[in-house]
Every structure is written in structure tokens, then in C-alpha cells.
Amino acid sequence: MRSQPSPKKEVSAGFFRSLGGTLLLLATGSLWLTVGLWPNARAQALGKIVYNDYGYYRLNLALTPGRWWALRGLLLGATLLGAALLAGSRQTNLLPELRAAGRRAVNRIRRWPRPAAGIATGLVLLLLAARLWYVLQYPLSTDEVGSYDFFVAHGPLAISSYYPIPNNHILYNLLVWPGFALGLPPRWVMRLPTLLLGTAGTVAGYLLLARVVRLRLATLVTGLVGLGPLWVYFGAVGRGYFIQFGLLQLGFFAALELLRPATRYRELAWAAFVASSILGLYTIPTYAYPLVGLGLVLAIQLTRQRRLIELVWASLIIGTVSLLLYAPVGAVSGWDRLLGNRYVATRSAAQFWPAFRAVLYEMGAELFGPSLRLSGPAWLGAALLGGWAARWLLPAGPRRQTAMLAWVLLATPLLLMAGQRVYMPTRALLYLTFAGYLLLALLATRAARRATRPFGLFRWPLIVAVVLGTGGLRLYRNLPQLRYSRHETQLLTQAYQWLRQQPTPRPARVWLRAPLQALFFAHYNQTTNGPHPHLTAARNSWPGQAYDFIVLGNRFPAPAADQRAGYRLAYHDELISIYAHR
């Protein structure tokens, strides 16, 4: 028999030197390719990109020749540091641990009963089919269009350093760019990485969960979570949230492994935790929320085991490499652009506290189910009492540790939002659905264990019925939203085609006070051939000069008679009115 890695009491500093050196070299290598080899003039040209933020704007870059050379100096210094750390490190157990973990995973899957393996395979295929259907049926969203037009279409340099609005999920957009370079249609450019990597992440998370809580419970949790409308949607659209969740799952199970005093895979777990944390932060900075929760549990438990120094080394690597990856944003766009995210802006106490509970209830309905009356209170109740229930109901062991870690993930955002007085966007808290359903499933199955023992033969059929019934009902209820999105996109394309078909002696000059149309019309200009209208978008109510056409959103007040003198209403639909110059 092949020997297994033996448990170790403490990971050596040499391992962290090797890990830090490797990650530094990988980070600097990617930054040299995307940023460092380009001249300053090419970076300065990013200031000519037009982006949409309720009007068309160009970013006043923070870049100067001095900052550009300082960035290159930082990359060179980090490269040399990574090489020095790697050269001075000794051989680690990382690869033997990885091989051993892979063999055990394969053996575990081979031991699954054939019917259970068939159900697991069927669930993965069902999730893939649901996401593929959303890929094909859901129109491109505003965030996808913005990412495509402002970042992906301008190449890796823009993706890595241009940050006018917080729409740039840098790691995801870098993964997207090869599809753009190959000339794929925008839908597939933006969505193919989510579909492929998200499915791979689902399989990996499913297997890791089955390792901890057994296959039946893993099937129940994966099915209930994966067939939620919000999850199917973000598992299909071209944004970084689903990739980030896959990274969080990797960090979650790595943290569970690190909590075990006698684990044989400590170096592998630390490598997975550190790498997933860096990539999660580089995808979207809001990964800091779940990372705080995981780090808090690790700090408490490793202090008890007298291994806190390991977390210190890991945190140093995560912080250093993450800051290095964001250094191009700071040099080119300015650190204020990265840190001044209006979606998580601090509110005054008078604004925040009166609406906090209502906001949480709305978040709960989106994350856990359609009922405001049940989902919000259930989230708050689980966040307050979930840890106590886990300690009372679950015996000491992997399931209790899993439940406690899920509870911390569930409760941490409430404390952080309250402490910062911010309303975190629901999409950035997508992982709470996983943590909530996992905690609930662990507690419910333990409480019902004796009652269900006589019905053991029916457990699999019951799980399949619950997953299919609940998931099917929730997706069915989401169909009106899908139909409306398709109808809205049809109105957008019809209005744009109407403008292009109007006879004018030159490209039509169009003024827009309609944010959705301003975004999509510019996207259609960029992705279609032939003459295009010249677009101007602003926030003021009426232009100060003559235009061929004025596009006004129906949610804005109609212009006064003296304002629209010289114009006639030429086009109208549910979203906009278009006035043509007489």
C-alpha cells in the first residue's frame, strides 16, 4: 500500500516561505503580462475610454509617469522577493498530500452505491441544464454589458487597471477576455467561463461536502441551493459572483480541515485557503466579508491549539499578494476608485437603523425563499441561535464543526453591516444561501434522525422529491421575471433599430435621458456594423442645444411645452418616448 502523509503538529515557516514565493511569482508574472510590459502612453490612453454612469464620462486618471515607473519598480521588487523566498525554501509535503487526497477522493467515489452515484450525476446534469437554459434564454444584463464595453473590449491592460466604477470584477473579466479575442458573440464571451468554471466548482463543492456530511445530505443541500432562481441566474450570467462562491467553498472546506488537530493534509489545506482567499478578493473585494468569518474561527481554534503563527503567516501572504494584484488599479485609476464603492457606502445612523430590519428581510427573501415573513426572520433566528443549536443537537465531530462554521458565515455579515452601517448588495452575499441551508439541513436531520429511521428505504426518494419539487416550483415562479427581461430587451432593440432607420443627412445626433437605453444603445453601436447614431447622455432634464432625436425615459417628467418646441413625439413604448426635431 502507498503510504499516507503523516499528521504534523505544526506547519513549518519554510512551507509558508515556499507558498508565498510561489504565489508572488505567479502574481507578478500575470501582472507583467497584463500591465508591466506596456508603455506609459498605452496606459494613459485608458483615459479616453467612455463609460456610462447615468451619463457618458471619461475617467480622470491618477496615472503619472512617476507612478507608472513606481508600479514597474514594485513588480520588479516583488518578483525578486518571490524568487528569493522560493530559492531559500525546502521541499514541502504539498504535492504528496495532493496526490494522497486525490487517491482517497477517487476511492470514495468508487465506493458509492450505483443508485446513489446515478442520483448525484443526475443532479449535476440537472443543474448544468438549468444554467445552460438561463444562458440561452436570459438577455444580457446591464452589468454584463458594462463589463463587456468598458473593460473586456479594451483588453487585459484595461481590465487590470481601469476602475471607473465598481463593475470591474477583475479576475473574472480576465478569464472572459480570451473569448473576446477569439471573436465569440458577447453572450458567450461573458457567460462561457461562468458556465464551465461554475459547473466545475459545483462538482468540487459537492464532493467536498459529501466527504464531510455524507452523500445524501450533500445532495439535499447542493440541490436546494443550486436550483434557487438567484443561484441559477448567477450560475449562468457573466459576472464574478459564482466563481467567487466556488472559491469560498474551497476556502470553507480548507478551513474545516485546518480545524482538525490530526489532519494529514495541513499543507494542502493552507495552500487551498490562501490561494482561494487571494483569488476571491481579486474577483470581488467583498470576499472580505466571508473571509473575516473564516479567519475569526481559525484564529480562535488555532490559538487553542497553539498554532496561531500559521494563520499569521497565511494572512501576511493573502494581504501582500492581494495588494500587489490591485496595485495597477491604485497606480492608474487611483485607490479612491477602488475603496470608494458607492454600493457599500456608510450611511448615517438616522438613515441606516430604521430601515435595517426591512432590508434584511428583503435580502432573506432573495437568498432563501420568496416569503418576506418567513425568510427574513429565519435568517435572523439562525444567525442568533444557530451556534447554540449546533452545540446542543450535534455531537462533537466533523458535523458540528461544519455547522458551527456555517453559522459563523451566516452571522458575520449582520455584525459587519451593522458595524459599518452599510447595506451590502444581496448578490455579494450569495454564499449565505449555502451556509443557511447547510446549517438547517444538519440540524433538521439530527433532530429527525430517530423519527426517520424506520423509513430509511425512502430517504433517497424523499430527497429527490424535495429537491425537484422545491427547485421546480421556485424556477417556475421566476418565469415572469424572465419573460419581462426578454420583453424589455426586445423594446430596447426595436427602439435602437428605429433610430438607425430614420433618414438623416449625417449620423443622427441623439440625446438621451434614459439610463438603460444609454447603456444598451452604446453597446449596440459597439457590436453592430454600419452607420451608428452619435449618442450623448446626461442627467439634466433637457438638452441646451438642438439634436436630431431626444430619448426620454418614461419615468422622468414629460418636458414642458416650451422645452419641446421644435420637436414632435415620433416614437413611444413602455420604456421611452423619442422626440424628433421638426
Side-chain angles (χ1 to χ4, degrees):
M1 293 180 61
R2 293 189 177 109
S3 61
Q4 300 287 339
S6 58
K8 296 191 300 180
K9 292 184 178 181
E10 184 177 307
V11 176
S12 67
F15 164 75
F16 288 104
R17 283 197 298 269
S18 176
L19 179 63
T22 300
L23 294 176
L24 273 175
L25 288 178
L26 289 173
T28 54
S30 67
L31 290 177
W32 279 116
L33 290 174
T34 58
V35 177
L37 298 179
W38 296 99
N40 176 60
R42 185 66 178 268
Q44 290 285 358
L46 298 177
K48 298 178 181 179
I49 298 175
V50 176
Y51 69 95
N52 188 322
D53 190 18
Y54 298 96
Y56 298 139
Y57 302 96
R58 289 183 173 89
L59 178 63
N60 185 19
L61 299 179
L63 181 65
T64 63
R67 291 170 73 102
W68 190 247
W69 283 107
L71 175 62
R72 287 180 164 180
L74 176 65
L75 294 182
L76 179 59
T79 303
L80 295 176
L81 176 61
L85 289 173
L86 204 56
S89 62
R90 298 178 180 178
Q91 186 176 5
T92 69
N93 290 326
L94 181 58
L95 290 179
E97 289 182 9
L98 181 60
R99 287 193 293 267
R103 287 194 299 268
R104 294 194 66 177
V106 171
N107 291 335
R108 191 178 301 110
I109 293 172
R110 288 174 176 171
R111 291 196 299 269
W112 286 353
R114 186 168 296 179
I119 292 173
T121 304
L123 176 59
V124 171
L125 293 176
L126 177 62
L127 294 176
L128 176 60
R131 293 169 191 171
L132 181 59
W133 189 70
Y134 267 47
V135 166
L136 297 173
Q137 295 296 317
Y138 251 104
L140 286 174
S141 68
T142 55
D143 285 338
E144 290 177 288
V145 168
S147 293
Y148 184 92
D149 289 353
F150 311 151
F151 311 113
V152 176
H154 298 280
L157 176 61
I159 295 170
S160 302
S161 58
Y162 183 64
Y163 209 89
I165 54 177
N167 200 57
N168 189 4
H169 295 176
I170 296 179
L171 177 61
Y172 185 77
N173 287 336
L174 287 172
L175 295 172
V176 158
W177 179 78
F180 174 84
L182 292 173
L184 297 180
R187 180 187 298 267
W188 289 105
V189 168
M190 295 306 300
R191 295 181 173 180
L192 191 58
T194 293
L195 186 65
L196 297 179
L197 295 177
T199 301
T202 297
V203 173
Y206 193 0
L207 294 175
L208 289 169
L209 185 58
R211 175 178 179 262
V212 177
V213 300
R214 303 293 177 87
L215 184 58
R216 274 196 298 262
L217 191 59
T219 300
L220 178 63
V221 173
T222 302
L224 289 176
V225 171
L227 287 176
L230 198 65
W231 279 71
V232 178
Y233 178 77
F234 282 110
V237 300
R239 304 292 288 141
Y241 298 107
F242 209 74
I243 304 300
Q244 188 187 60
F245 171 71
L247 294 167
L248 174 60
Q249 277 193 309
L250 185 59
F252 178 87
F253 291 110
L256 276 178
E257 194 68 22
L258 291 169
L259 295 176
R260 298 175 59 188
T263 176
R264 298 176 182 271
Y265 306 109
R266 190 163 291 160
E267 290 188 4
L268 177 60
W270 274 124
F273 182 82
V274 171
S276 63
S277 299
I278 293 169
L279 294 176
L281 290 168
Y282 196 45
T283 304
I284 314 172
T286 53
Y287 190 87
Y289 261 46
L291 184 57
V292 166
L294 296 178
L296 178 64
V297 174
L298 285 174
I300 294 172
Q301 294 299 321
L302 295 184
T303 298
R304 293 175 178 174
Q305 299 175 20
R306 298 183 179 180
R307 294 167 44 210
L308 185 61
I309 188 62
E310 296 178 19
L311 182 61
V312 173
W313 283 115
S315 301
L316 182 62
I317 296 171
I318 293 169
T320 301
V321 179
S322 298
L323 285 173
L324 177 66
L325 288 170
Y326 277 109
V329 173
V332 175
S333 300
W335 289 107
D336 59 318
R337 287 285 168 173
L338 178 65
L339 301 176
N341 187 336
R342 64 175 179 267
Y343 296 115
V344 289
T346 300
R347 300 169 186 266
S348 68
Q351 291 175 318
F352 178 80
W353 290 111
F356 187 38
R357 187 176 69 172
V359 169
L360 293 181
Y361 279 23
E362 290 180 8
M363 287 183 181
E366 289 188 71
L367 291 167
F368 303 107
S371 172
L372 283 171
R373 293 182 177 180
L374 295 178
S375 300
W379 176 18
L380 296 181
L384 292 172
L385 304 174
W388 173 83
R391 291 187 65 86
W392 181 60
L393 284 175
L394 299 173
R399 289 200 172 201
R400 181 194 283 183
Q401 285 185 333
T402 304
M404 294 296 291
L405 196 56
W407 167 66
V408 171
L409 286 182
L410 204 60
T412 303
L414 298 176
L415 299 176
L416 293 177
M417 284 192 286
Q420 297 176 295
R421 294 203 306 273
V422 301
Y423 298 146
M424 183 64 67
T426 304
R427 58 188 179 273
L429 302 176
L430 194 64
Y431 66 92
L432 292 181
T433 310
F434 167 76
Y437 276 118
L438 177 57
L439 176 61
L440 178 63
L442 286 167
L443 295 178
T445 53
R446 178 64 181 178
R449 187 174 181 181
R450 292 183 180 178
T452 59
R453 190 171 296 169
F455 305 99
L457 292 176
F458 300 99
R459 287 178 184 173
W460 273 116
L462 182 61
I463 288 172
V464 171
V466 168
V467 168
L468 294 181
T470 304
L473 179 61
R474 293 166 71 188
L475 291 176
Y476 175 77
R477 288 180 173 177
N478 194 58
L479 285 178
Q481 183 176 342
L482 170 60
R483 295 192 188 103
Y484 178 76
S485 295
R486 292 173 63 85
H487 175 64
E488 184 180 66
T489 301
Q490 185 179 20
L491 294 176
L492 290 168
T493 56
Q494 286 176 353
Y496 178 77
Q497 291 301 328
W498 183 90
L499 281 173
R500 290 190 65 182
Q501 292 167 5
Q502 302 311 300
T504 54
R506 62 187 184 284
R509 298 172 64 246
V510 180
W511 185 93
L512 301 101
R513 192 191 181 195
L516 194 63
Q517 284 71 19
L519 177 67
F520 276 87
F521 287 5
H523 175 68
Y524 299 151
N525 273 0
Q526 184 168 318
T527 55
T528 57
N529 298 320
H532 303 124
H534 179 75
L535 306 175
T536 301
R539 302 184 185 186
N540 50 310
S541 58
W542 199 257
Q545 56 180 303
Y547 283 84
D548 296 315
F549 299 97
I550 293 177
V551 181
L552 187 65
N554 290 340
R555 66 187 181 91
F556 297 111
D562 59 330
Q563 284 183 314
R564 64 174 183 265
Y567 290 90
R568 62 180 176 84
L569 181 62
Y571 180 93
H572 179 80
D573 63 26
E574 298 173 28
L575 302 177
I576 56 169
S577 299
I578 301 180
Y579 297 86
H581 197 274
R582 295 183 189 272

